[in-house]
Amino acid sequence: MRPYILAESNWKYIKDATFDVAILPWGACEAHNYHMPYATDIIESELISAEAARLAWEKGTKVIVLPPIPFGVNTGQFDVTLDINMNPSTQLLVLKDVIEVLNRQGIHKLIILNSHGGNDFKTMIRELGLKFPDMFLATCNWFQALDQKEFFENKDDHAGEMETSLMMFLRPDLVLPLSEAGDGAAKKFTFAAIREGWAWAERKWTRVTKDTGVGDPRKATKEKGEKYFKAVTQKVALFFEEVAKTRKEDFYR
Ligand SMILES: [Zn+2]
């Protein structure tokens, strides 16, 4: 039993334990090019949370990782078979129920460890922050923590070189050989404002990519995945530790 993983913990241990911060891994259930499993985002959120929590725990951080939420916002992938969409309004209710428990039981810090680009918890955190003023609520996109260019040749948006490398390291048993993968070629919006990033609209996924990937996975290796996993988890662990150990009076300087 890892004492920082709730799913492995028992009541004998938990009844006397105290925690400063809870981690909620949040994934998505969706196609990842031809070669990777639907659970890719779930596996990433769970294993990155677990390893970052282990590193933080070893430095004396009282952190507990909750079981991952498996469904993300997949409204743009409505026509991809068995991409299971959880609407933002449903996510808000799920998040509220989890926060209600933590708030009642005095665990006043929560970090959502998000794996999926379609999930956006910012507006939910704003709304729930008003309802639960004692809670510190944060969302963390681990995939934005580091500059991908330092680790990978081709930029990854979805199921490309970064995610494929990571999964080759984490769950090689679930990744098909790269010869089975599509090239992840994807169209961009016609509108300059959207391409430049100051306007936004949802992409209709199957109009943009043939193989469901956005980003070329073919330069992926297990070694790149291992190096990136180690760097990402160290950085995320530091965030867990800082949040857990910083008093609310000292949040700003
Ligand atoms: Zn993914």
Side-chain angles (χ1 to χ4, degrees):
M1 179 193 106
R2 291 172 292 177
Y4 46 87
I5 305 285
L6 182 60
E8 298 178 5
S9 299
N10 49 52
W11 174 235
K12 189 172 174 95
Y13 158 62
I14 290 290
K15 69 185 173 51
D16 300 318
T18 58
F19 299 101
D20 290 324
V21 64
I23 311 301
L24 182 61
W26 206 310
C29 176
E30 59 174 350
H32 272 73
N33 200 318
Y34 297 128
H35 63 296
M36 286 205 293
Y38 270 59
T40 294
D41 289 6
I42 307 167
I43 292 165
E44 289 163 351
S45 71
E46 192 171 15
L47 298 188
I48 289 169
S49 292
E51 176 61 7
R54 184 185 73 78
L55 295 169
W57 182 269
E58 284 181 354
K59 289 204 211 149
T61 308
K62 291 182 184 179
V63 55
I64 187 80
V65 178
L66 311 182
I69 309 287
F71 301 131
V73 175
N74 277 94
T75 42
Q77 289 94 343
F78 61 92
D79 52 351
V80 180
T81 307
L82 286 174
D83 273 24
I84 307 294
N85 172 50
M86 183 185 271
N87 279 321
S89 52
T90 313
Q91 289 187 324
L92 175 74
L93 295 176
V94 171
L95 193 55
K96 178 169 162 280
D97 284 357
V98 173
I99 291 169
E100 208 155 35
V101 173
L102 298 174
N103 184 60
R104 189 168 60 239
Q105 299 179 354
I107 301 171
H108 283 138
K109 293 168 180 168
L110 172 69
I111 298 172
I112 302 165
L113 204 282
N114 176 43
S115 271
H116 174 61
N119 292 339
D120 183 359
F121 299 103
K122 281 192 219 164
T123 54
M124 300 177 202
I125 285 174
R126 291 178 197 278
E127 188 169 336
L128 293 170
L130 278 182
K131 283 204 175 74
F132 300 98
D134 292 337
M135 292 293 301
F136 174 73
L137 306 171
T139 177
C140 168
N141 291 337
W142 58 263
F143 48 89
Q144 293 172 329
L146 296 167
D147 185 358
Q148 283 190 27
K149 278 192 220 110
E150 289 175 24
F151 299 84
F152 306 104
E153 288 170 63
N154 295 307
K155 191 181 174 317
D156 186 359
D157 186 347
H158 176 71
E161 187 176 330
M162 183 272 280
E163 278 200 297
T164 302
S165 298
L166 210 45
M167 288 296 282
M168 285 171 147
F169 172 60
L170 296 173
R171 288 299 305 268
D173 55 318
L174 296 178
V175 183
L176 292 175
L178 285 170
S179 54
E180 304 284 328
D183 61 10
K187 291 181 186 161
K188 291 196 165 65
F189 264 113
T190 307
F191 315 111
I194 294 181
R195 286 201 310 273
E196 290 167 13
W198 54 279
W200 183 87
E202 183 173 68
R203 288 171 287 182
K204 300 294 174 210
W205 214 251
T206 52
R207 299 278 301 277
V208 166
T209 159
K210 271 206 219 52
D211 51 35
T212 79
V214 178
D216 191 343
R218 292 173 296 180
K219 295 258 171 72
T221 69
K222 187 177 188 163
E223 290 69 33
K224 288 180 187 173
E226 181 171 9
K227 197 175 157 207
Y228 182 71
F229 180 74
K230 285 194 172 139
V232 158
T233 50
Q234 273 173 22
K235 204 161 176 192
V236 171
L238 198 62
F239 182 50
F240 289 0
E241 196 187 343
E242 281 175 347
V243 169
K245 292 182 177 171
T246 306
R247 297 180 317 159
K248 284 197 174 154
E249 305 80 66
D250 300 326
F251 275 180
Y252 309 96
R253 64 177 173 196

